[in-house]
Amino acid sequence: MKKIYFLAIVGITVMLASCGHGGQGELVGAYNRKFKNDRIPLGMVYVPPGHTPLGGSDEDITFSQNGPSKMVTISAFFMDQTEISNAEYRQFTNWVRDSIAIGMMGNPQQFMITPKGNAANAVGGDKYIDWKKVGPNGANIWRNKGKGAAAAQVSQLDGMYYSGLDALPGKKELDVRKFVYSYAELNMEKAAAGHKDPNSKRQDYIDRYTIAIYPDTMVWKTDYSYSQNDPMVRGYYNHPSYDDYPVVGVSWEQAKAFSHWRTRLYDGVATARKLPAGSRSDYRLPAETEFEYAARGGNTKTKYPWGGPYIRNTKGCLQANFKPGRGDYSSDGGIYTVGVRSYFPNDYGLYNMAGNVSEWTLTAYNKGASPLLHDLNPNFTYDAGATDSKYKKRKVVKGGSWKDTGYFLQNAVSTYEYQDTQRSYIGFRCVSSYPGTDLRH
């Protein structure tokens, strides 16, 4: 009797277990690991989905017809609350610098340090080079100790410095032209066009890039004739006073490389925390329509990001960093750029969506593309190669800058610049698509 009772219990247990895991031929699904999908990435804000008219909201004084009004729907995404700052971009250039140094030195454990905080560093290990040990002074100390393994490792870095006639007498400086970042990504446009071809291979749709990523600090000279901007050339990217100012002198190609690295940076931390693959969408540049949608802050047909039709508030204060009048760069509170959290944010909590620096978008500039765009997440892209015409290398720039007049600060106004060009008035910020419908539901 006890045996029969035991077998009955075992049978019921097996039956229940099989029902819970797809037994008896029932479809129960194969679910990916669940995780909380309500965490807003650090330094970003949530932009909810919605439908709204985008495009011209005022008289088209240039008769360019660049932004005809159109009702569209935009999916939810996260957007950087501010423009990418010098300090944030420097994290990228420092990582590239140290990655090159680590590769040249082999396994230089005695020359590495773990930065404070949560691994600004999760890509390629959790340590950085201690430049106090391998820099000009540190290198001399190790070399003076003799020809040991450590001294030999330090000497491997000689190729990272300016040398010969490129070097200034008495100075040993890193050659920033060697700060190169290589990456690959799947080209969705190519894949969509050819993935059903039985003779195609996945490698046919993978684009590979090698990008020199250090900002062109000389833009403060080359953008202006007969203007004394030498102090900006020397100090803007590296002086601590400008750490929280927007990075400039960065091309569209460099901004894309930064976005790829930032994705890898997060993926490294996600792997360490054992989060599921793809727990956050890739970082990227915003589409033109995403930028305009976010700039409006949830308001309809507004002229500027702050909502009103005027460039001044009720107290008479200018509401952005731009050029208020002829020869006047200072009345708004800044002569060049200002800190990335200057002025009031818009209704989504986004700072400087107009003024300070213009910003790169993902969108290719083509005046004829507007009527062809879909009304759901509209965007036009073209990946121009090195041999393409310069007209195919134009990318949409939004927001207006510190040197522009008020017209260019309007939400609907777009201009362009070539993807391989750096300017003293163009920066960028990143977005990341929300993996779901709406964070609020």
Side-chain angles (χ1 to χ4, degrees):
M1 186 69 181
K2 290 182 178 179
K3 186 175 181 181
I4 295 174
Y5 180 70
F6 173 76
L7 291 174
I9 292 176
V10 171
I12 293 172
T13 303
V14 170
M15 181 179 70
L16 291 174
S18 63
C19 289
H21 294 83
Q24 299 184 347
E26 300 296 340
L27 183 67
V28 297
Y31 291 93
N32 290 322
R33 177 184 167 190
K34 293 183 179 180
F35 66 99
K36 290 186 177 180
N37 199 23
D38 58 356
R39 179 175 174 269
I40 298 177
L42 181 66
M44 303 188 105
V45 302
Y46 176 69
V47 180
H51 70 281
T52 184
L54 297 183
S57 55
D58 197 16
E59 182 182 4
D60 184 9
I61 62 173
T62 63
F63 300 100
S64 63
Q65 297 186 4
N66 263 350
S69 185
K70 183 175 184 177
M71 181 67 74
V72 300
T73 296
I74 305 293
S75 298
F77 59 95
F78 300 111
M79 188 175 213
D80 280 328
Q81 192 172 27
T82 69
E83 301 135 339
I84 295 298
S85 68
N86 283 320
E88 290 170 330
Y89 194 82
R90 196 180 303 126
Q91 183 180 342
F92 176 37
T93 56
N94 284 356
W95 183 87
V96 171
R97 175 200 66 190
D98 288 10
S99 296
I100 295 171
I102 290 169
M104 295 175 73
M105 297 177 74
N107 186 27
Q109 292 299 320
Q110 68 270 45
F111 300 119
M112 299 179 72
I113 56 175
T114 302
K116 296 179 181 179
N118 180 14
N121 36 7
V123 187
D126 60 355
K127 293 184 177 181
Y128 274 13
I129 291 290
D130 185 350
W131 287 91
K132 292 181 180 178
K133 293 181 179 180
V134 302
N137 295 329
N140 291 332
I141 294 173
W142 284 96
R143 285 169 182 159
N144 290 336
K145 288 182 177 180
K147 296 183 179 180
Q153 281 185 318
V154 171
S155 66
Q156 296 295 319
L157 296 182
D158 287 347
M160 289 190 68
Y161 294 90
Y162 290 108
S163 60
L165 295 178
D166 282 342
L168 290 171
K171 288 189 175 184
K172 190 165 186 178
E173 301 169 294
L174 287 167
D175 187 348
V176 297
R177 297 171 299 183
K178 297 182 179 179
F179 291 12
V180 174
Y181 180 73
S182 297
Y183 70 102
E185 64 179 7
L186 184 66
N187 187 314
M188 295 294 187
E189 301 297 328
K190 292 180 181 178
H195 73 288
K196 291 188 177 180
D197 182 350
N199 297 318
S200 67
K201 299 179 181 178
R202 192 169 188 264
Q203 65 187 26
D204 298 335
Y205 315 130
I206 297 177
D207 291 336
R208 305 179 191 278
Y209 304 93
T210 297
I211 306 295
I213 51 87
Y214 202 82
D216 182 5
T217 57
M218 199 60 69
V219 292
W220 293 104
K221 290 288 289 184
T222 56
D223 282 348
Y224 311 99
S225 300
Y226 306 108
S227 181
Q228 173 53 21
N229 289 324
D230 293 20
M232 299 295 284
V233 174
R234 294 190 178 97
Y236 185 77
Y237 184 60
N238 290 301
H239 196 282
S241 296
Y242 296 106
D243 276 353
D244 291 324
Y245 283 52
V247 68
V248 297
V250 173
S251 69
W252 181 87
E253 295 169 345
Q254 291 172 314
K256 268 194 68 179
F258 174 92
S259 302
H260 182 274
W261 167 82
R262 187 177 178 183
T263 301
R264 289 181 59 194
L265 182 70
Y266 175 78
D267 287 346
V269 175
T271 300
R273 295 176 179 171
K274 297 182 180 180
L275 296 176
S279 58
R280 182 184 298 166
S281 299
D282 291 352
Y283 291 99
R284 57 178 172 82
L285 294 174
E288 176 187 8
T289 49
E290 287 176 324
F291 190 97
E292 181 179 340
Y293 177 71
R296 293 183 183 275
N299 301 307
T300 302
K301 301 300 287 182
T302 52
K303 187 174 180 179
Y304 300 108
W306 43 87
Y310 305 112
I311 210 77
R312 296 178 184 269
N313 61 20
T314 55
K315 295 182 179 180
C317 299
L318 293 166
Q319 302 196 75
N321 180 22
F322 68 111
K323 185 180 180 181
R326 181 172 296 179
D328 179 8
Y329 296 89
S330 61
S331 293
D332 49 36
I335 296 179
Y336 296 103
T337 59
V338 294
V340 294
R341 290 184 180 272
S342 301
Y343 307 97
F344 290 108
N346 74 354
D347 287 350
Y348 282 151
L350 297 164
Y351 288 85
N352 292 304
M353 291 298 285
N356 211 23
V357 291
S358 299
E359 299 183 34
W360 291 112
T361 73
L362 192 65
T363 305
Y365 182 85
N366 187 327
K367 292 175 65 174
S370 182
L372 306 177
L373 295 178
H374 203 282
D375 56 4
L376 173 60
N377 295 320
N379 189 37
F380 173 73
T381 59
Y382 180 82
D383 294 296
T387 59
D388 277 325
S389 161
K390 68 176 184 178
Y391 299 107
K392 294 183 178 181
K393 296 181 179 180
R394 297 184 298 183
K395 304 299 180 185
V396 172
V397 174
K398 295 285 290 184
S401 77
W402 60 270
K403 72 164 194 63
D404 293 320
T405 59
Y407 169 77
F408 295 97
L409 273 59
Q410 294 182 73
N411 294 321
V413 172
S414 301
T415 56
Y416 69 86
E417 187 51 85
Y418 300 103
Q419 66 184 46
D420 53 0
T421 300
Q422 297 104 329
R423 294 294 187 187
S424 62
Y425 47 86
I426 300 180
F428 70 101
R429 73 181 79 202
C430 298
V431 299
S432 178
S433 299
Y434 175 70
T437 301
D438 193 341
L439 177 66
R440 303 168 299 183
H441 298 156

